[in-house]
Amino acid sequence: MLRLALTGGRGFLGWHVRVLARALGWSEPVLISGSDLLDAPTVAEQLDGVDRVLHLAGVNRGDARDVAAGNVELAAALGRALRLCAAPPGAVVFANSVQAGNGTPYGDAKAVAAATLAAARPDLLDVRLPNLYGEHGRPYYNSVVATFCRLLAEQRSPEVHEDRELSLVHVSDAAARLMGAPDGGPWDAAMPALRTGVRELADRLAGYADLYRGGEIPALTDRHAVRLFNTYRSHCFPASYPLSLTRRADLRGELVEAVKAHGGGQTFCSTSRPGVTRGEHFHLAKVERFCVLRGSAEIRLRRVGTDEVVRFPVGGDEPVVVDMPTMWAHNIVNTGPDELLTLFWTNEIFDPARPDTWTEPVELTAPEPAVVAA
């Protein structure tokens, strides 16, 4: 269990670091904001004795002068604080970029920032990250993946202005590398990259969206397929849920296709007595679907690191499905007077050695008014 301190901990990469720390059972990281960095003595106190400092804060977009100055000044401010630490951190890690030193204002500023930090900590771990993608990325800012996913979630079409090759790494893998996370989960600190063209990426995501609008699960043939699909789903939630199912009936009875997956997975059913809650965990990569077949229930979800709870009332009389977004704690509660019958589906067969199931309560405090999705 390591104690982390993060600059930029509330950003895209920072949130994924905090979620992975939660999954590993590490303590909540110390978060250092850009305004905090203006006060070097106070930051030095915050850094005293921590095991690992991750410098994630940076300026990616904007005026070229602001981008250049912002990245250098943030590193210089952290360097001043590090020099004042009474008990220096065990390690300092810089989330650098593969663009460092490439002649652009951003790339050259990242190179200067690395040198600035190395002057304060000669043992600096300088990790050069490629293009990152993943759940809850900011469209038009973090990556083209986030932009394409948001457009498709809004039922618009991505436009490809320049078709070039991309090297994409999932943000959880980058988080694991920066944190020095141990092996044994769905992350990979070696940061295996997906190499794809921009147009190929747009077509792939559009194919996922076309199938998913009808409730179908696309073929998830490799770990990047799973993570791209989860990234797309993060932009659909909660506005696109629950997904309606078609009920077919004849003289024999009724039929509902609860799961139509182009690639397999595992399906199981459970019964729950009145008042019983199942779940209270989150997944980092696993795709999981809930479908109530009989009875009434409420599905509750909360994005890890936040307080707001999203609720979906569901019942067997009008079958719908809700797919759990990754990195959202979730449960299902039998709210009716009778036994609840629920079908569950996951995209992978359960492996007790690598369950990708991390305990986390949905309700952090006494229940309060929450978002109720229609």
Side-chain angles (χ1 to χ4, degrees):
M1 181 183 294
L2 298 184
R3 185 164 177 257
L4 303 177
L6 313 179
T7 69
R10 292 182 175 85
F12 172 55
L13 176 55
W15 179 70
H16 281 267
V17 167
R18 289 159 51 206
V19 171
L20 184 51
R22 186 80 64 94
L24 291 167
W26 297 1
S27 58
E28 187 69 21
V30 176
L31 301 184
I32 299 169
S33 69
S35 58
D36 291 338
L37 285 170
L38 299 176
D39 185 349
T42 298
V43 173
E45 291 180 6
Q46 293 176 291
L47 298 181
D48 275 348
V50 302
D51 297 297
R52 202 172 181 97
V53 178
L54 273 56
H55 182 47
L56 313 179
V59 182
N60 300 338
R61 299 284 190 276
D63 180 81
R65 290 170 296 183
D66 293 338
V67 169
N71 284 289
V72 173
E73 289 169 1
L74 288 167
L78 178 58
R80 288 192 290 271
L82 288 168
R83 290 186 173 92
L84 296 176
C85 287
V92 179
V93 186
F94 178 37
N96 203 341
S97 168
V98 293
Q99 299 182 51
N102 68 354
T104 66
Y106 172 75
D108 288 351
K110 294 294 277 189
V112 173
T116 301
L117 286 172
R121 281 294 295 252
D123 60 346
L124 175 74
L125 298 175
D126 183 7
V127 180
R128 297 196 172 193
L129 301 174
N131 295 307
L132 301 182
Y133 76 94
E135 296 86 333
H136 300 294
R138 181 176 161 190
Y140 312 105
Y141 187 82
N142 288 131
S143 77
V144 67
V145 178
T147 302
F148 285 177
C149 287
R150 179 60 59 85
L151 289 169
L152 289 164
E154 295 173 350
Q155 299 195 31
R156 294 188 285 161
S157 299
E159 294 182 6
V160 177
H161 300 290
E162 179 187 358
D163 190 11
R164 57 189 176 86
E165 185 177 78
L166 300 173
S167 179
L168 301 173
V169 166
H170 189 263
V171 64
S172 285
D173 295 342
R177 175 71 165 271
L178 296 167
M179 296 164 64
D183 294 335
W187 56 86
D188 187 342
M191 301 193 302
L194 169 67
R195 299 189 183 281
T196 181
V198 177
R199 188 172 301 282
E200 180 185 5
L201 173 68
D203 291 344
R204 185 174 187 174
L205 291 170
Y208 291 170
D210 287 343
L211 285 174
Y212 198 57
R213 289 188 190 109
E216 298 182 33
I217 307 292
L220 304 177
T221 53
D222 56 60
R223 69 189 309 272
H224 279 295
V226 173
R227 284 151 183 79
L228 281 171
F229 181 53
N230 284 338
T231 300
Y232 168 67
R233 293 195 304 120
S234 75
H235 290 270
C236 296
F237 192 86
S240 298
Y241 295 87
L243 301 172
S244 298
L245 297 176
T246 300
R247 186 202 306 263
R248 295 179 174 85
D250 58 23
L251 295 177
R252 299 169 296 173
E254 298 180 345
L255 180 146
V256 173
E257 294 178 337
V259 182
K260 185 180 287 187
H262 296 243
Q266 179 176 359
T267 303
F268 56 98
C269 290
S270 75
T271 59
S272 302
R273 295 185 177 89
V276 166
T277 299
R278 292 183 179 274
E280 300 287 73
H281 56 241
F282 65 91
H283 309 297
L284 291 175
K286 183 182 298 184
V287 185
E288 184 176 36
R289 170 168 290 189
F290 288 9
C291 180
V292 169
L293 303 177
R294 186 177 66 239
S296 57
E298 186 172 74
I299 297 171
R300 302 169 184 171
L301 306 98
R302 178 182 56 79
R303 181 175 167 180
V304 174
T306 67
D307 298 327
E308 185 177 71
V309 177
V310 178
R311 304 171 187 269
F312 295 101
V314 293
D317 291 340
E318 297 183 10
V320 297
V321 294
V322 178
D323 293 338
M324 305 302 109
T326 41
M327 303 176 210
W328 284 63
H330 52 267
N331 65 26
I332 182 168
V333 183
N334 184 350
T335 55
D338 302 316
E339 189 174 69
L340 178 71
L341 176 62
T342 309
L343 178 144
F344 300 91
W345 172 85
T346 61
N347 69 301
E348 59 188 26
I349 296 174
F350 182 76
D351 180 357
R354 301 169 70 90
D356 189 16
T357 300
W358 313 93
T359 300
E360 174 90 3
V362 173
E363 303 282 358
L364 294 177
T365 57
E368 297 179 357
V371 174
V372 178

